[in-house]
Amino acid sequence: VQLQASGGGLVQAGGSLRLSCAASGRTFSNYAMAWFRQAPGKEREFVAAIIWGGTSYYADFLKGRFTISRDNAKDTVYLQMNSLKPEDTAVYYCAARPGVVTYFTKEYDHWGQGTLVTVSS
C-alpha cells in the first residue's frame, strides 16, 4: 500500500496550489483520506479529511481557504489551497485509514512521503 503526494512548491502569499495524493496497492473504498501538515519545529497537525461518500472535514484555522476532494475511480485525493499565507508553510502529508475520519495522526494506518509547500511573504 502506497500513498504518493505531489503538487507542493513555492508560492507567494495570496496564491494557490493543488496537492494530489494517489493511492496504489489496493483500493481505498471505504477509507477516509486526510491531509496533515508539519511546520518546522512543530507537531504534525490535521488539515482536512474526506470519507468515501464525500463528506469532508476541516481544521478550524483554515476558515474556508482549503478544499479537499477525492476521485474514487482514481483512488486520488486532492487539496486545493487558496489564499495561502506564510504560516501555511509546511510539509503536507496525505494519510488513509479505514472507516471514519479522526483528527489524530496515530489513528491513520497509511502515510505518504510528504510534499513541501513554501509560502513567501
Side-chain angles (χ1 to χ4, degrees):
V1 176
Q2 292 185 331
L3 298 177
Q4 182 70 40
S6 62
L10 174 64
V11 63
Q12 289 187 335
S16 298
L17 281 176
R18 189 177 83 152
L19 306 183
S20 299
C21 176
S24 62
R26 63 153 293 155
T27 180
F28 275 77
S29 60
N30 296 320
Y31 268 63
M33 298 187 75
W35 289 96
F36 288 77
R37 70 185 187 184
Q38 187 165 17
K42 296 187 177 181
E43 293 187 352
R44 194 169 299 187
E45 63 180 357
F46 173 82
V47 175
I50 188 167
I51 61 172
W52 173 258
T55 302
S56 55
Y57 304 81
Y58 297 93
D60 290 341
F61 61 78
L62 290 178
K63 297 184 180 179
R65 297 185 296 120
F66 293 6
T67 302
I68 190 171
S69 61
R70 67 189 289 168
D71 184 335
N72 291 331
K74 296 182 179 179
D75 283 331
T76 300
V77 64
Y78 305 96
L79 185 68
Q80 177 67 43
M81 305 186 295
N82 299 327
S83 302
L84 283 161
K85 305 175 181 181
E87 51 264 44
D88 294 318
T89 295
V91 177
Y92 284 71
Y93 297 90
C94 60
R97 70 182 304 276
V100 301
V101 166
T102 79
Y103 301 152
F104 305 104
T105 58
K106 64 182 180 181
E107 295 181 359
Y108 284 80
D109 305 307
H110 309 286
W111 289 87
Q113 83 288 2
T115 185
L116 176 63
V117 172
T118 304
V119 184
S120 63
S121 57

